Amino acid sequence: MSRTVKMKVYRGEQNVGQFHEYDVSIDDGMVVLDVIHRIQATEAPDLACRWNCKAGKCGSCSAEVNGKPSLMCMTRMDTLPQDKIITVEPLKAFPHVRDLVTDVSWNYTVNKKIRPFKPRPKAADGTHRMYQYEVDRVQEFRKCIECYLCQNVCHALRNHGKHEEFAGPRFLARLASLEMHPLDSDDRIPFIKEGGGVGFCNITKCCTEVCPEHIHITDNAIIPLKERVADRYYDPIQMLFRVLTGNK
Amino acid sequence: MAYPVPGTREPFLATRRQDGWWVVPLAMAATFLVFVVYATWAAFQPREFSHFGPYISPFYSPDLTKWIPGFTWSPALLILWIPAGFRLTCYYGRKAYYRSVTFSPPACAVGKGDRDYKGERALPWVLNNLHRYFLYLVTVLVIFHWFHFFDAFKFDDGFGMGLGTLVVAADTIFLTLYVFGCHSLRHLVGGRIDCYSCAASGLVRHKAWKGVSVLNDRHNLYFWCSLVTVGFGDVYVRMCAMGVWNDVRFF
């Protein structure tokens, strides 16, 4: 059954623009991205919006729907209040390009700063042996689709612009996946503390709340990293023990 | 209209969210306020109302004044800083009070206002990294709670059970579930290991990590249940000792 909803979509370029209001006819089962496409088809063919898979797997159509960072393709219209105007606007933590499109390239720059997987030497039998139970926890982080909703909602980036000092939840999760890997031999703890700025996270779990893949970013990635940083830099007994034993 | 550039300080509580995002932080703040006011008041009360029959208030356990001659103030003053420190540095507790008390942020995608932010890299919040030390101390308190739980069956006329026994049991069980789901404990028992098959007792430590992870999954629930039951444990014992309530004896 079709009905009409009021949508307010942010239109503009390079941070200058305004909300445009559209009355859109929608059908059962539509998601926000369908409505954006209908606006493009009927009223605003120049409306810019990034999208690809429409299945919640490519992470392209991230936006803020009614103020909540969401994937437009996974936000069903029938989950939004129909009696109010629905707002759709671009992500706030990244530079605005046009309409609903932002420049997320800062994330790729951060990613390049992370030292890659460095496997330990092979065992005497020439193998790199590991067990499934050992990699279960790092495989959770491989579900990430890099939609950057977690980066966008993180107040350290969104409100305080700590882009130079803080890697953000997505890349702390990547660092966790490397640090916890049973075969990895690199030591990234100093980078996690300084370059990654794990201390900027105050674990309010907004990243976990918005993650469309339901990755427990805070509990399973960031807090374990904070504990490893605490081992190295904040635990006086462990620090004393390392001094006495000469261990790193 | 200029769209906010990244890092723009959104006005305090500014958001386009239409849901009731303010309900949870408000409820948390109200609960914290009630608990902190009551616990502070209770900590300065004389010890006469700290026990009733076989029950002892969790605020007064263990009574360290036995080992400090001349200490005439309430025993609670020697104890309460431990669970207070544990909860203040708790990873879930931090989320709760950063949102509801310091509004940093009040909720996801809600404005914080114009203020500087150093996160947990500077005083006072950098001290939260000492959470593990409060874990060690609070684990000792949990042991005392279990002793008091068993004592709560020992009435003057022999073995029995009253409503107070259930109150003490609820406090003890939820405190145990809360403490043994701690993120720091999860790290210490096995989370810090990368290669379990290479580490000494790796399989056992992996199982321990998995066990703590099960409790850790409900850490927020146990945080609140434990906060309420420990507070009500003191209220119940105090009210019975003051003669306001009568303990119901089951057998």
Side-chain angles (χ1 to χ4, degrees):
Chain A
M1 196 175 75
S2 74
R3 59 192 183 279
T4 302
V5 294
K6 280 194 182 301
M7 300 278 288
K8 262 185 6 181
V9 181
Y10 187 81
R11 304 291 312 273
E13 281 186 52
Q14 311 283 330
N15 299 318
V16 180
Q18 59 189 333
F19 279 97
H20 284 233
E21 209 168 295
Y22 300 97
D23 291 323
V24 196
S25 170
I26 65 164
D27 305 315
D28 286 344
M30 284 178 84
V31 294
V32 172
L33 184 60
D34 291 325
V35 182
I36 294 296
H37 284 161
R38 186 157 287 180
I39 292 171
Q40 282 180 325
T42 57
E43 295 189 60
D46 60 339
L47 171 60
C49 140
R50 188 184 283 127
W51 71 285
N52 192 355
C53 74
K54 234 189 107 182
K57 288 296 165 199
C58 74
S60 303
C61 63
S62 302
E64 300 200 359
V65 179
N66 279 350
K68 289 177 89 168
S70 325
L71 290 181
M72 289 193 286
C73 70
M74 298 304 285
T75 308
R76 290 176 64 99
M77 289 299 290
D78 56 15
T79 62
L80 303 171
Q82 306 288 304
D83 53 334
K84 294 178 182 161
I85 299 176
I86 296 162
T87 62
V88 185
E89 57 192 307
L91 303 178
K92 287 185 176 164
F94 307 114
H96 186 225
V97 177
R98 186 178 164 194
D99 298 342
L100 299 178
V101 178
T102 51
D103 176 5
V104 296
S105 59
W106 166 79
N107 292 287
Y108 311 137
T109 310
V110 176
N111 197 31
K112 284 179 188 163
K113 291 182 192 168
I114 298 172
R115 289 207 298 266
F117 179 65
K118 182 181 166 190
R120 65 170 187 244
K122 288 182 179 174
D125 60 0
T127 62
H128 267 142
R129 187 173 288 109
M130 60 182 176
Y131 296 86
Q132 181 59 45
Y133 74 90
E134 295 181 293
V135 286
D136 278 343
R137 60 179 175 168
V138 298
Q139 283 183 334
E140 179 188 11
F141 310 130
R142 299 303 293 262
K143 291 194 300 178
C144 177
I145 58 172
E146 299 209 317
C147 62
Y148 302 127
L149 290 176
C150 57
Q151 305 283 76
N152 176 59
V153 80
C154 176
H155 66 116
L157 299 170
R158 179 190 185 91
N159 299 109
H160 299 287
K162 301 288 184 190
H163 295 69
E164 291 299 315
E165 304 155 273
F166 181 47
R170 189 281 166 266
F171 296 106
L172 290 175
R174 174 150 190 262
L175 282 160
S177 76
L178 292 165
E179 274 301 291
M180 294 176 185
H181 197 287
L183 295 182
D184 184 72
S185 59
D186 202 3
D187 174 18
R188 300 176 190 82
I189 297 298
F191 175 77
I192 289 165
K193 179 174 182 282
E194 295 303 333
V198 73
F200 280 112
C201 171
N202 68 346
I203 44 185
T204 43
K205 294 197 179 183
C206 288
C207 50
T208 304
E209 280 186 26
V210 300
C211 179
E213 285 294 318
H214 308 293
I215 300 170
H216 294 84
I217 303 171
T218 322
D219 287 314
N220 291 349
I222 299 179
I223 293 175
L225 291 184
K226 274 178 168 275
E227 283 295 310
R228 288 171 184 228
V229 169
D231 280 347
R232 181 82 59 92
Y233 296 101
Y234 298 110
D235 187 330
I237 292 179
Q238 287 202 39
M239 289 159 79
L240 180 67
F241 183 76
R242 278 196 300 273
V243 169
L244 294 177
T245 59
N247 286 336
K248 192 176 167 188
Chain B
M1 174 190 161
Y3 197 74
V5 292
T8 299
R9 311 282 169 98
E10 292 174 298
F12 185 52
L13 304 185
T15 184
R16 263 188 271 279
R17 284 181 63 170
Q18 296 178 358
D19 56 339
W21 59 265
W22 47 272
V23 173
V24 171
L26 190 66
M28 286 176 180
T31 310
F32 280 137
L33 182 68
V34 169
F35 187 85
V36 169
V37 168
Y38 176 77
T40 307
W41 172 82
F44 286 95
Q45 297 307 300
R47 69 178 70 200
E48 291 92 275
F49 304 124
S50 65
H51 50 84
F52 176 79
Y55 316 135
I56 180 166
S57 160
F59 284 16
Y60 295 81
S61 162
D63 185 355
L64 297 181
T65 57
K66 292 172 190 166
W67 291 283
I68 307 177
F71 188 90
T72 54
W73 289 6
S74 164
L77 290 172
L78 297 174
I79 293 300
L80 282 182
W81 63 275
I82 297 174
F86 184 70
R87 286 178 188 273
L88 274 173
T89 58
C90 163
Y91 284 100
Y92 174 74
R94 278 139 80 173
K95 173 196 169 184
Y97 68 72
Y98 284 138
R99 284 199 186 192
S100 62
V101 179
T102 67
F103 305 118
S104 184
C108 305
V110 173
K112 298 175 65 179
D114 189 10
R115 54 174 148 160
D116 197 16
Y117 178 73
K118 294 192 176 82
E120 298 189 330
R121 292 163 62 97
L123 288 169
W125 308 121
V126 71
L127 295 175
N128 282 329
N129 287 301
L130 297 175
H131 182 52
R132 57 190 61 182
Y133 287 95
F134 285 105
L135 168 69
Y136 306 148
L137 293 169
V138 88
T139 305
V140 177
L141 291 193
V142 171
I143 295 167
F144 278 97
H145 276 242
W146 277 99
F147 279 120
H148 296 315
F149 165 69
F150 291 114
D151 286 345
F153 292 95
K154 296 173 188 167
F155 289 81
D156 289 341
D157 54 354
F159 184 79
M161 186 176 169
L163 185 57
T165 314
L166 296 181
V167 172
V168 172
D171 161 50
T172 306
I173 291 166
F174 280 121
L175 184 70
T176 306
L177 293 173
Y178 170 52
V179 170
F180 288 97
C182 168
H183 290 88
S184 286
L185 182 66
R186 190 180 181 223
H187 171 74
L188 292 167
V189 298
R192 61 195 303 173
I193 295 172
D194 297 334
C195 179
Y196 292 103
S197 57
C198 321
S201 311
L203 204 55
V204 173
R205 296 189 71 182
H206 182 263
K207 284 188 193 309
W209 174 79
K210 291 276 277 185
V212 176
S213 298
V214 170
L215 294 179
N216 182 264
D217 201 34
R218 297 274 182 278
H219 200 47
N220 54 347
L221 175 69
Y222 298 139
F223 176 92
W224 291 111
C225 289
S226 166
L227 191 76
V228 170
T229 52
V230 75
F232 185 70
D234 182 78
V235 171
Y236 188 85
V237 172
R238 190 177 300 279
M239 291 296 113
C240 288
M242 291 170 74
V244 179
W245 293 349
N246 289 317
D247 182 43
V248 179
R249 181 82 182 266
F250 300 139
F251 59 88

mmCIF file of all heavy atoms in Angstrom, chain A residues 107-117 146 151 167-179 186 188 191-192 195-196:
data_model
loop_
_atom_site.group_PDB
_atom_site.id
_atom_site.type_symbol
_atom_site.label_atom_id
_atom_site.label_comp_id
_atom_site.label_asym_id
_atom_site.label_seq_id
_atom_site.Cartn_x
_atom_site.Cartn_y
_atom_site.Cartn_z
ATOM 1 N N ASN A 107 40.139 8.202 6.478
ATOM 2 C CA ASN A 107 40.210 6.841 7.030
ATOM 3 C C ASN A 107 41.290 6.010 6.348
ATOM 4 O O ASN A 107 41.959 5.195 7.001
ATOM 5 C CB ASN A 107 38.853 6.145 6.871
ATOM 6 C CG ASN A 107 37.793 6.790 7.748
ATOM 7 O OD1 ASN A 107 37.776 6.634 8.955
ATOM 8 N ND2 ASN A 107 36.925 7.581 7.127
ATOM 9 N N TYR A 108 41.445 6.205 5.045
ATOM 10 C CA TYR A 108 42.452 5.420 4.323
ATOM 11 C C TYR A 108 43.854 5.854 4.754
ATOM 12 O O TYR A 108 44.777 5.043 4.809
ATOM 13 C CB TYR A 108 42.275 5.584 2.808
ATOM 14 C CG TYR A 108 40.845 5.371 2.356
ATOM 15 C CD1 TYR A 108 40.246 6.203 1.419
ATOM 16 C CD2 TYR A 108 40.069 4.348 2.893
ATOM 17 C CE1 TYR A 108 38.929 6.017 1.022
ATOM 18 C CE2 TYR A 108 38.748 4.159 2.512
ATOM 19 C CZ TYR A 108 38.189 4.997 1.580
ATOM 20 O OH TYR A 108 36.889 4.813 1.208
ATOM 21 N N THR A 109 43.994 7.142 5.067
ATOM 22 C CA THR A 109 45.286 7.644 5.539
ATOM 23 C C THR A 109 45.636 7.005 6.885
ATOM 24 O O THR A 109 46.763 6.588 7.117
ATOM 25 C CB THR A 109 45.216 9.174 5.696
ATOM 26 O OG1 THR A 109 44.689 9.722 4.500
ATOM 27 C CG2 THR A 109 46.573 9.778 5.983
ATOM 28 N N VAL A 110 44.651 6.945 7.766
ATOM 29 C CA VAL A 110 44.886 6.327 9.080
ATOM 30 C C VAL A 110 45.259 4.855 8.902
ATOM 31 O O VAL A 110 46.193 4.356 9.531
ATOM 32 C CB VAL A 110 43.625 6.456 9.979
ATOM 33 C CG1 VAL A 110 43.828 5.726 11.298
ATOM 34 C CG2 VAL A 110 43.296 7.910 10.228
ATOM 35 N N ASN A 111 44.538 4.196 8.015
ATOM 36 C CA ASN A 111 44.774 2.771 7.804
ATOM 37 C C ASN A 111 46.225 2.503 7.391
ATOM 38 O O ASN A 111 46.824 1.513 7.812
ATOM 39 C CB ASN A 111 43.812 2.254 6.727
ATOM 40 C CG ASN A 111 43.709 0.741 6.732
ATOM 41 O OD1 ASN A 111 43.851 0.110 7.778
ATOM 42 N ND2 ASN A 111 43.485 0.172 5.579
ATOM 43 N N LYS A 112 46.764 3.415 6.578
ATOM 44 C CA LYS A 112 48.135 3.222 6.098
ATOM 45 C C LYS A 112 49.164 3.348 7.216
ATOM 46 O O LYS A 112 50.288 2.866 7.097
ATOM 47 C CB LYS A 112 48.453 4.242 4.994
ATOM 48 C CG LYS A 112 47.811 3.893 3.663
ATOM 49 C CD LYS A 112 48.143 4.962 2.638
ATOM 50 C CE LYS A 112 47.353 4.721 1.365
ATOM 51 N NZ LYS A 112 47.317 5.929 0.513
ATOM 52 N N LYS A 113 48.802 4.025 8.292
ATOM 53 C CA LYS A 113 49.748 4.192 9.403
ATOM 54 C C LYS A 113 49.913 2.908 10.220
ATOM 55 O O LYS A 113 50.837 2.783 11.023
ATOM 56 C CB LYS A 113 49.260 5.296 10.350
ATOM 57 C CG LYS A 113 49.302 6.692 9.770
ATOM 58 C CD LYS A 113 48.830 7.667 10.842
ATOM 59 C CE LYS A 113 48.549 9.037 10.282
ATOM 60 N NZ LYS A 113 47.843 9.891 11.250
ATOM 61 N N ILE A 114 48.981 1.993 10.065
ATOM 62 C CA ILE A 114 49.011 0.763 10.880
ATOM 63 C C ILE A 114 49.946 -0.255 10.249
ATOM 64 O O ILE A 114 49.784 -0.604 9.072
ATOM 65 C CB ILE A 114 47.587 0.184 11.016
ATOM 66 C CG1 ILE A 114 46.689 1.190 11.742
ATOM 67 C CG2 ILE A 114 47.611 -1.151 11.743
ATOM 68 C CD1 ILE A 114 45.231 0.799 11.766
ATOM 69 N N ARG A 115 50.890 -0.691 11.046
ATOM 70 C CA ARG A 115 51.841 -1.673 10.502
ATOM 71 C C ARG A 115 51.106 -2.999 10.231
ATOM 72 O O ARG A 115 50.329 -3.465 11.079
ATOM 73 C CB ARG A 115 52.988 -1.900 11.489
ATOM 74 C CG ARG A 115 53.938 -0.710 11.580
ATOM 75 C CD ARG A 115 55.335 -1.158 11.998
ATOM 76 N NE ARG A 115 55.341 -1.774 13.296
ATOM 77 C CZ ARG A 115 55.606 -1.111 14.427
ATOM 78 N NH1 ARG A 115 55.891 0.179 14.409
ATOM 79 N NH2 ARG A 115 55.592 -1.749 15.581
ATOM 80 N N PRO A 116 51.366 -3.604 9.068
ATOM 81 C CA PRO A 116 50.596 -4.794 8.685
ATOM 82 C C PRO A 116 50.973 -6.037 9.494
ATOM 83 O O PRO A 116 51.925 -6.024 10.272
ATOM 84 C CB PRO A 116 50.933 -4.968 7.206
ATOM 85 C CG PRO A 116 52.269 -4.324 7.043
ATOM 86 C CD PRO A 116 52.329 -3.199 8.041
ATOM 87 N N PHE A 117 50.215 -7.076 9.242
ATOM 88 C CA PHE A 117 50.427 -8.382 9.858
ATOM 89 C C PHE A 117 51.873 -8.858 9.642
ATOM 90 O O PHE A 117 52.390 -8.809 8.529
ATOM 91 C CB PHE A 117 49.449 -9.367 9.211
ATOM 92 C CG PHE A 117 49.543 -10.767 9.703
ATOM 93 C CD1 PHE A 117 49.232 -11.083 11.014
ATOM 94 C CD2 PHE A 117 49.923 -11.793 8.853
ATOM 95 C CE1 PHE A 117 49.301 -12.389 11.469
ATOM 96 C CE2 PHE A 117 49.998 -13.106 9.291
ATOM 97 C CZ PHE A 117 49.682 -13.391 10.608
ATOM 98 N N GLU A 146 33.466 -1.300 6.797
ATOM 99 C CA GLU A 146 34.045 0.034 6.634
ATOM 100 C C GLU A 146 33.004 1.055 6.171
ATOM 101 O O GLU A 146 33.226 1.792 5.202
ATOM 102 C CB GLU A 146 35.256 -0.018 5.697
ATOM 103 C CG GLU A 146 36.345 -0.918 6.272
ATOM 104 C CD GLU A 146 37.743 -0.529 5.849
ATOM 105 O OE1 GLU A 146 37.919 -0.233 4.678
ATOM 106 O OE2 GLU A 146 38.645 -0.538 6.720
ATOM 107 N N GLN A 151 33.088 5.726 13.220
ATOM 108 C CA GLN A 151 33.965 6.902 13.210
ATOM 109 C C GLN A 151 33.126 8.176 13.309
ATOM 110 O O GLN A 151 33.488 9.144 13.976
ATOM 111 C CB GLN A 151 34.792 6.950 11.917
ATOM 112 C CG GLN A 151 35.605 5.699 11.621
ATOM 113 C CD GLN A 151 36.859 5.612 12.473
ATOM 114 O OE1 GLN A 151 36.781 5.288 13.644
ATOM 115 N NE2 GLN A 151 38.000 5.886 11.907
ATOM 116 N N ALA A 167 42.821 7.409 16.089
ATOM 117 C CA ALA A 167 42.524 6.582 14.917
ATOM 118 C C ALA A 167 41.044 6.291 14.778
ATOM 119 O O ALA A 167 40.560 6.001 13.675
ATOM 120 C CB ALA A 167 43.302 5.266 15.016
ATOM 121 N N GLY A 168 40.301 6.347 15.891
ATOM 122 C CA GLY A 168 38.867 6.063 15.830
ATOM 123 C C GLY A 168 38.585 4.581 16.005
ATOM 124 O O GLY A 168 39.461 3.728 15.834
ATOM 125 N N PRO A 169 37.316 4.262 16.317
ATOM 126 C CA PRO A 169 36.965 2.877 16.652
ATOM 127 C C PRO A 169 37.245 1.871 15.539
ATOM 128 O O PRO A 169 37.671 0.756 15.811
ATOM 129 C CB PRO A 169 35.459 2.943 16.952
ATOM 130 C CG PRO A 169 35.033 4.346 16.790
ATOM 131 C CD PRO A 169 36.212 5.207 16.505
ATOM 132 N N ARG A 170 37.009 2.273 14.273
ATOM 133 C CA ARG A 170 37.214 1.292 13.206
ATOM 134 C C ARG A 170 38.665 0.800 13.201
ATOM 135 O O ARG A 170 38.941 -0.384 13.036
ATOM 136 C CB ARG A 170 36.851 1.908 11.840
ATOM 137 C CG ARG A 170 36.822 0.891 10.684
ATOM 138 C CD ARG A 170 38.182 0.542 10.181
ATOM 139 N NE ARG A 170 38.256 -0.618 9.317
ATOM 140 C CZ ARG A 170 38.531 -1.865 9.688
ATOM 141 N NH1 ARG A 170 38.641 -2.177 10.961
ATOM 142 N NH2 ARG A 170 38.668 -2.839 8.822
ATOM 143 N N PHE A 171 39.603 1.723 13.382
ATOM 144 C CA PHE A 171 41.004 1.325 13.257
ATOM 145 C C PHE A 171 41.561 0.786 14.574
ATOM 146 O O PHE A 171 42.543 0.047 14.560
ATOM 147 C CB PHE A 171 41.831 2.465 12.659
ATOM 148 C CG PHE A 171 41.371 2.741 11.261
ATOM 149 C CD1 PHE A 171 40.616 3.863 10.964
ATOM 150 C CD2 PHE A 171 41.590 1.805 10.262
ATOM 151 C CE1 PHE A 171 40.127 4.058 9.683
ATOM 152 C CE2 PHE A 171 41.096 1.994 8.972
ATOM 153 C CZ PHE A 171 40.370 3.136 8.686
ATOM 154 N N LEU A 172 40.927 1.101 15.668
ATOM 155 C CA LEU A 172 41.296 0.409 16.906
ATOM 156 C C LEU A 172 40.865 -1.055 16.797
ATOM 157 O O LEU A 172 41.564 -1.956 17.275
ATOM 158 C CB LEU A 172 40.657 1.099 18.114
ATOM 159 C CG LEU A 172 41.252 2.475 18.442
ATOM 160 C CD1 LEU A 172 40.490 3.133 19.578
ATOM 161 C CD2 LEU A 172 42.732 2.380 18.808
ATOM 162 N N ALA A 173 39.730 -1.286 16.142
ATOM 163 C CA ALA A 173 39.301 -2.678 15.932
ATOM 164 C C ALA A 173 40.294 -3.396 15.015
ATOM 165 O O ALA A 173 40.622 -4.565 15.233
ATOM 166 C CB ALA A 173 37.897 -2.708 15.342
ATOM 167 N N ARG A 174 40.776 -2.693 14.005
ATOM 168 C CA ARG A 174 41.766 -3.333 13.114
ATOM 169 C C ARG A 174 43.058 -3.622 13.883
ATOM 170 O O ARG A 174 43.654 -4.703 13.750
ATOM 171 C CB ARG A 174 42.056 -2.424 11.917
ATOM 172 C CG ARG A 174 43.152 -2.970 11.060
ATOM 173 C CD ARG A 174 43.085 -2.642 9.592
ATOM 174 N NE ARG A 174 44.080 -3.459 8.913
ATOM 175 C CZ ARG A 174 45.301 -3.025 8.568
ATOM 176 N NH1 ARG A 174 45.646 -1.771 8.785
ATOM 177 N NH2 ARG A 174 46.160 -3.829 8.003
ATOM 178 N N LEU A 175 43.467 -2.648 14.711
ATOM 179 C CA LEU A 175 44.673 -2.872 15.519
ATOM 180 C C LEU A 175 44.477 -4.055 16.461
ATOM 181 O O LEU A 175 45.394 -4.859 16.658
ATOM 182 C CB LEU A 175 44.990 -1.598 16.315
ATOM 183 C CG LEU A 175 45.656 -0.481 15.497
ATOM 184 C CD1 LEU A 175 45.483 0.870 16.180
ATOM 185 C CD2 LEU A 175 47.131 -0.785 15.277
ATOM 186 N N ALA A 176 43.281 -4.169 17.019
ATOM 187 C CA ALA A 176 43.001 -5.303 17.921
ATOM 188 C C ALA A 176 43.093 -6.612 17.153
ATOM 189 O O ALA A 176 43.627 -7.609 17.657
ATOM 190 C CB ALA A 176 41.624 -5.146 18.554
ATOM 191 N N SER A 177 42.590 -6.621 15.921
ATOM 192 C CA SER A 177 42.613 -7.872 15.143
ATOM 193 C C SER A 177 44.052 -8.297 14.840
ATOM 194 O O SER A 177 44.339 -9.490 14.733
ATOM 195 C CB SER A 177 41.810 -7.717 13.857
ATOM 196 O OG SER A 177 42.521 -6.964 12.899
ATOM 197 N N LEU A 178 44.943 -7.326 14.721
ATOM 198 C CA LEU A 178 46.349 -7.657 14.480
ATOM 199 C C LEU A 178 47.053 -8.031 15.788
ATOM 200 O O LEU A 178 47.790 -9.022 15.858
ATOM 201 C CB LEU A 178 47.063 -6.470 13.836
ATOM 202 C CG LEU A 178 46.622 -6.121 12.405
ATOM 203 C CD1 LEU A 178 47.101 -4.745 12.010
ATOM 204 C CD2 LEU A 178 47.140 -7.169 11.427
ATOM 205 N N GLU A 179 46.820 -7.245 16.821
ATOM 206 C CA GLU A 179 47.503 -7.478 18.098
ATOM 207 C C GLU A 179 47.129 -8.825 18.718
ATOM 208 O O GLU A 179 47.943 -9.455 19.384
ATOM 209 C CB GLU A 179 47.149 -6.359 19.087
ATOM 210 C CG GLU A 179 48.022 -5.135 18.991
ATOM 211 C CD GLU A 179 49.490 -5.430 19.226
ATOM 212 O OE1 GLU A 179 49.879 -5.764 20.347
ATOM 213 O OE2 GLU A 179 50.252 -5.320 18.251
ATOM 214 N N ASP A 186 54.376 -8.572 15.737
ATOM 215 C CA ASP A 186 54.723 -7.158 15.851
ATOM 216 C C ASP A 186 54.199 -6.597 17.179
ATOM 217 O O ASP A 186 53.258 -7.141 17.771
ATOM 218 C CB ASP A 186 54.127 -6.379 14.678
ATOM 219 C CG ASP A 186 54.862 -5.069 14.443
ATOM 220 O OD1 ASP A 186 55.853 -4.813 15.159
ATOM 221 O OD2 ASP A 186 54.444 -4.316 13.557
ATOM 222 N N ARG A 188 52.536 -3.328 18.531
ATOM 223 C CA ARG A 188 51.921 -2.050 18.150
ATOM 224 C C ARG A 188 51.408 -1.265 19.351
ATOM 225 O O ARG A 188 50.693 -0.273 19.191
ATOM 226 C CB ARG A 188 50.765 -2.296 17.175
ATOM 227 C CG ARG A 188 51.177 -2.984 15.895
ATOM 228 C CD ARG A 188 50.011 -3.314 14.994
ATOM 229 N NE ARG A 188 50.436 -4.179 13.906
ATOM 230 C CZ ARG A 188 50.581 -5.497 14.020
ATOM 231 N NH1 ARG A 188 50.323 -6.097 15.160
ATOM 232 N NH2 ARG A 188 50.993 -6.211 12.997
ATOM 233 N N PHE A 191 52.187 2.445 19.419
ATOM 234 C CA PHE A 191 51.377 3.162 18.434
ATOM 235 C C PHE A 191 49.923 3.278 18.901
ATOM 236 O O PHE A 191 49.283 4.327 18.742
ATOM 237 C CB PHE A 191 51.423 2.447 17.077
ATOM 238 C CG PHE A 191 50.503 3.079 16.069
ATOM 239 C CD1 PHE A 191 50.854 4.263 15.438
ATOM 240 C CD2 PHE A 191 49.267 2.513 15.761
ATOM 241 C CE1 PHE A 191 49.996 4.870 14.521
ATOM 242 C CE2 PHE A 191 48.402 3.109 14.867
ATOM 243 C CZ PHE A 191 48.770 4.286 14.239
ATOM 244 N N ILE A 192 49.412 2.210 19.505
ATOM 245 C CA ILE A 192 48.021 2.237 19.977
ATOM 246 C C ILE A 192 47.853 3.344 21.010
ATOM 247 O O ILE A 192 46.844 4.055 21.015
ATOM 248 C CB ILE A 192 47.626 0.856 20.544
ATOM 249 C CG1 ILE A 192 47.507 -0.154 19.414
ATOM 250 C CG2 ILE A 192 46.332 0.924 21.349
ATOM 251 C CD1 ILE A 192 47.470 -1.592 19.851
ATOM 252 N N GLY A 195 50.016 7.131 18.598
ATOM 253 C CA GLY A 195 49.456 7.416 17.270
ATOM 254 C C GLY A 195 47.983 7.094 17.177
ATOM 255 O O GLY A 195 47.204 7.853 16.586
ATOM 256 N N GLY A 196 47.593 5.955 17.746
ATOM 257 C CA GLY A 196 46.181 5.562 17.703
ATOM 258 C C GLY A 196 45.338 6.298 18.714
ATOM 259 O O GLY A 196 44.113 6.389 18.572
#
